[in-house]
Amino acid sequence: MHEATSAEADRPLAVTPPIVCDHPDDVAFVEALEGRRLRVRFHDGLEGIVDLSRRIASADAGVFSILADPSRFAQVRVETGAVAWPGPIDLAPDAMHAEIASKGTWIL
């Protein structure tokens, strides 16, 4: 049996391996921009803009209506390869990637 050295004993144990999303069309980076838009970069290097302004302002906004609050919109983050906000809102990375690859912008 291996006896732990002092350095090994002081090192924290990895309980859960980190979740790594590196599928080419997974989102690697997201940034909130003015006008309810996002700048996104995917793992394959593709970059583009997602424009949510019309969706958020529409009568059919549904759950997206909570993003009308600028502070809420600014809480955007990448979560397991998708663009997400706290609560039930996320955006499918594959559809976003396809539209940005084709047009440079995804307008919802």
Side-chain angles (χ1 to χ4, degrees), residues 55-86:
R55 170 60 73 95
I56 292 169
S58 78
D60 298 327
V63 296
F64 288 95
S65 65
I66 64 173
L67 299 179
D69 175 1
S71 65
R72 186 72 175 243
F73 189 81
Q75 293 177 24
V76 67
R77 63 185 185 265
V78 176
E79 191 171 285
T80 62
V83 170
W85 288 266

Side-chain angles (χ1 to χ4, degrees), residues 2 5 9 21-22 31 33 38 42 45-46 50 55 62 69 74 81:
H2 173 73
T5 66
C21 295
D22 57 3
E31 175 186 21
L33 304 173
L38 304 170
F42 298 88
L46 178 69
V50 177
R55 170 60 73 95
D69 175 1

Side-chain angles (χ1 to χ4, degrees), residues 7 11 13 18 25 30 33 40-41 46 48-49 51 54-56 59-60 66 68 71 75 79 95 100 105-106 108:
R11 187 176 40 208
L13 297 174
D25 64 359
V30 64
L33 304 173
V40 296
R41 183 176 60 248
L46 178 69
I49 301 295
D51 186 341
R54 289 193 298 191
R55 170 60 73 95
I56 292 169
D60 298 327
I66 64 173
S71 65
Q75 293 177 24
E79 191 171 285
I100 289 173
T105 301
W106 188 30
L108 293 176

